[in-house]
Amino acid sequence: MAVKAPWLGFLFLVSLWGLSSPALLLRRLREHIQKSQESSSLHLGIGLSQGPAAVPKQGWLEQPLDPFNASDRRTFLQRYWVNDQHRAGQDAPVFLHIGGEGSLGPGSVMAGHPAALAPALGALVISLEHRFYGLSMPAGGLDMAQLHYLSSRHALADVASALQALSRLLNVSSSSPWICFGGSYAGSLATWTRLKFPHLVFAAVASSAPLRAVVDFAAYNRVVARSLTRAAIGGSQQCLAAASAAFAEVERLLRSGPASQAVLREELGACGSLHLTEDQAELLGALQALVGGAVQYDGQAGAPLSVRQLCGLLLGNGGNGSHSTPYLGLRRAAQIVLRSMGQKCLSFSRAETVAQLRNTAPQVSGVGDRQWLYQTCTEFGFYVTCESPQCPFTQLPALPFQLELCEQVFGISAASVAQAVAQTNSYYGGQTPGASQVLFVNGDTDPWHVLSVTQNLGPSEPVLLIPSASHCLDMAPTRPSDSPSLCLGRQRIFQQLQVWLKEIKKS
Ligand SMILES: *[C@@H]1O[C@H](CO)[C@@H](O)[C@H](O)[C@H]1NC(C)=O
Ligand SMILES: *[C@@H]1O[C@H](CO)[C@@H](O)[C@H](O)[C@H]1NC(C)=O
Ligand SMILES: *[C@@H]1O[C@H](CO)[C@@H](O)[C@H](O)[C@H]1NC(C)=O
């Protein structure tokens, strides 16, 4: 059992791991999963290799801080990784794994796509960390003047110049086709590299790419609800009903005065008190993110809770049987997630979230919360809400509450967020980007797939919607437990690349 002590004093020590806002909880989960996948893939890579020479190489590129102003001579160092184990010659294809809103480790070129596809296609594998994340950090920290140089457009300019510099450095022939890969936000970047630089990038594979920016991402929780009913991953109508009931009970306790709030706090293993309405909204959001996280990362190595396990708990099949209630199941689920992520208590203090996000010192661990919040405020939105009556959980969090963070942390108004999101969609084309030779891969239980391309736009923009697959699952290292539909999906990605590469040989 997890320790349920409200150790307020320790809160700040573990603040880096604070689960304060719902979005942060999802990001922590993602990091947790990425780390576990990376470490397993590294063991695999080193185990298979002949010696230290095969271990991926790390390198640094000097890139302009402002690629759009030639008189600005400031630069920063951008990190990349290379795996040349499978390279079949100087004109072999190059698979460029594009980094997103987090650091990239050696696992990025050793396992998962594109590394898994490299041996059969003789490809050179390179990954490029995104500016302002991980160790690719310009000098000067994360204050507003610096963040001015953080956007997807800057990231794309980095890819274009890195591609040219790496071609020289690694002796890549001018006839080598470059294929960009990426998952989630980086999947959008992969799409956009092909869209904006078709003379440099031959094709792209975009996994779970949320191509349409949206301020109010209410659809997230609608997909979560639907996925909780999917029998193939262990869901059912009863499971969804139990989830709703559990949230109704949390809400009832929250509204029943200080005594019940204290009980709730104790029972959920919450770090702080629940007096403030803003903290109550954060708590509800954090619990939703916990359920959303189980759906988003269902079936992935390192995910603390699958949909099947969560439904088992909510329906009382997870231990104490007949005495259980949906609320007890949700409590238990929260404990499991907290414990597996090494957390002492469930944190949901709004004030603390804001304080953390205002910190302009780059975090040593490579976590990019402030940077990513900035990108959501200035480009993408993506605020998960639960205001509509179709949301099965609670009527919180609400959009204004989410948007307030942009104002509180960066002084960016709700109106400018809306404007920025509209600009992003007109600049990139949203869900109809018009980029050729891009394969859009999604999982149909992933809450993000509704922002991606899931309908065929034409023969050169094929789509692959993998049944019962979660967020970026196709990119994860293969496992014996992978479903037949996932294996088939991965095979189709391979076949598509084969087709494209054959066409280039002909011409
Ligand atoms: C371009 O860079 C120069 C040199 O740093 C600076 O003086 C100028 O204001 C910049 N121009 C723009 C449009 O940012
Ligand atoms: C690059 O290719 C040239 C010509 O094939 C070769 O002589 C040279 O050694 C190569 N350099 C590297 C770093 O591989
Ligand atoms: C099972 O029930 C007992 C008594 O009701 C309780 O002490 C224990 O913590 C419960 N175990 C789980 C796993 O919920």
Side-chain angles (χ1 to χ4, degrees):
M1 296 289 286
V3 183
K4 291 192 287 176
W7 290 333
L8 279 164
F10 287 88
L11 199 59
F12 294 98
L13 291 178
V14 296
S15 65
L16 194 63
W17 290 98
L19 296 183
S20 309
S21 96
L24 293 187
L25 172 61
L26 277 172
R27 292 178 40 67
R28 284 299 89 76
L29 263 174
R30 177 174 170 175
E31 277 159 24
H32 182 77
I33 289 162
Q34 232 166 23
K35 271 198 193 122
S36 104
Q37 292 183 352
E38 283 226 332
S39 63
S40 68
S41 67
L42 272 186
H43 291 310
L44 191 79
I46 289 163
L48 290 174
S49 71
Q50 308 299 312
V55 173
K57 299 176 194 72
Q58 183 181 228
W60 300 88
L61 292 173
E62 191 172 5
Q63 295 270 33
L65 180 65
D66 187 347
F68 309 121
N69 178 357
S71 6
D72 189 336
R73 298 298 169 86
R74 289 172 298 170
T75 60
F76 74 101
L77 290 177
Q78 184 166 29
R79 177 164 64 166
Y80 65 91
W81 295 93
V82 178
N83 171 1
D84 55 10
Q85 257 178 306
H86 312 293
R87 188 181 188 185
Q90 280 184 14
D91 51 5
V94 185
F95 290 174
L96 181 62
H97 182 175
I98 296 176
E101 71 280 22
S103 66
L104 273 193
S108 57
V109 291
M110 295 301 285
H113 285 146
L117 295 163
L121 298 168
L124 169 64
V125 187
I126 305 175
S127 67
L128 184 68
E129 195 170 63
H130 195 296
R131 62 163 61 201
F132 284 94
Y133 295 97
L135 297 181
S136 300
M137 190 65 66
L142 298 172
D143 65 20
M144 282 300 273
Q146 283 295 108
L147 288 177
H148 181 68
Y149 302 103
L150 168 61
S151 74
S152 59
R153 297 175 208 203
H154 287 91
L156 292 175
D158 290 340
V159 172
S161 73
L163 194 150
Q164 289 163 308
L166 289 168
S167 284
R168 284 191 298 273
L169 268 171
L170 303 170
N171 239 351
V172 175
S173 138
S174 59
S175 60
S176 284
W178 285 73
I179 301 178
C180 289
F181 290 75
S184 203
Y185 160 55
S188 301
L189 290 176
T191 306
W192 300 331
T193 59
R194 172 66 192 161
L195 178 67
K196 302 294 184 189
F197 314 113
H199 59 297
L200 298 174
V201 175
F202 169 70
V205 178
S207 296
S208 304
L211 288 154
R212 178 163 60 91
V214 61
V215 178
D216 185 349
F217 191 13
Y220 184 97
N221 275 321
R222 285 204 291 275
V223 182
V224 168
R226 200 175 64 207
S227 296
L228 287 178
T229 68
R230 296 282 289 271
I233 54 171
S236 61
Q237 285 296 341
Q238 293 88 319
C239 175
L240 176 59
S244 291
F247 275 91
E249 177 63 8
V250 173
E251 213 176 354
R252 192 188 66 76
L253 290 168
L254 275 177
R255 300 235 164 107
S256 308
S260 343
Q261 284 169 10
V263 171
L264 185 67
R265 167 183 158 181
E266 173 68 19
E267 291 184 341
L268 287 174
C271 306
S273 86
L274 283 164
H275 300 323
L276 299 175
T277 26
E278 59 177 29
D279 292 342
Q280 297 178 7
E282 289 275 297
L283 173 70
L284 289 167
L287 290 172
Q288 279 173 33
L290 200 126
V291 174
V295 171
Q296 182 167 325
Y297 297 111
D298 182 60
Q300 306 203 18
L305 207 60
S306 67
V307 168
R308 191 174 303 278
Q309 287 164 322
L310 174 66
C311 288
L313 293 169
L314 290 170
L315 293 171
N317 314 326
N320 273 0
S322 53
H323 298 299
S324 194
T325 63
Y327 168 69
L328 282 174
L330 185 64
R331 267 175 60 185
R332 186 91 184 93
Q335 284 164 1
I336 289 171
V337 172
L338 284 181
R339 192 170 43 193
S340 84
M341 292 170 63
Q343 308 271 320
K344 292 211 165 56
C345 54
L346 184 64
S347 160
F348 47 80
S349 154
R350 177 71 163 195
E352 198 198 316
T353 305
V354 173
Q356 276 177 35
L357 290 166
R358 278 189 180 150
N359 183 357
T360 58
Q363 294 118 322
V364 281
S365 69
V367 176
D369 294 327
R370 177 173 164 88
Q371 299 94 301
W372 180 245
L373 177 68
Y374 179 80
Q375 288 200 263
T376 67
C377 297
T378 53
E379 296 190 86
F380 305 118
F382 295 149
Y383 303 113
V384 175
T385 59
C386 193
E387 280 173 285
S388 87
Q390 291 135 297
C391 183
F393 306 123
T394 40
Q395 306 299 293
L396 285 170
L399 184 61
F401 180 70
Q402 304 266 67
L403 282 169
E404 214 177 21
L405 263 189
C406 295
E407 180 75 56
Q408 288 172 321
V409 177
F410 302 115
I412 296 172
S413 71
S416 14
V417 177
Q419 207 172 16
V421 163
Q423 270 171 10
T424 298
N425 287 331
S426 71
Y427 184 70
Y428 294 119
Q431 284 167 297
T432 49
S436 63
Q437 280 186 186
V438 179
L439 173 60
F440 299 100
V441 185
N442 282 280
D444 75 353
T445 56
D446 173 16
W448 291 92
H449 83 271
V450 291
L451 300 180
S452 193
V453 178
T454 55
Q455 314 239 309
N456 259 313
L457 296 175
S460 67
E461 289 165 282
V463 300
L464 182 54
L465 187 60
I466 304 176
S468 310
S470 57
H471 194 59
C472 298
L473 187 58
D474 58 296
M475 297 193 81
T478 55
R479 294 204 297 167
S481 57
D482 289 341
S483 73
S485 58
L486 176 59
C487 298
L488 196 65
R490 288 191 174 126
Q491 213 176 327
R492 282 202 45 203
I493 299 172
F494 174 65
Q495 286 163 350
Q496 181 63 70
L497 290 177
Q498 265 186 321
V499 168
W500 281 336
L501 289 170
K502 259 187 205 139
E503 276 165 16
I504 204 180
K505 278 221 172 98
K506 268 192 239 155
S507 61

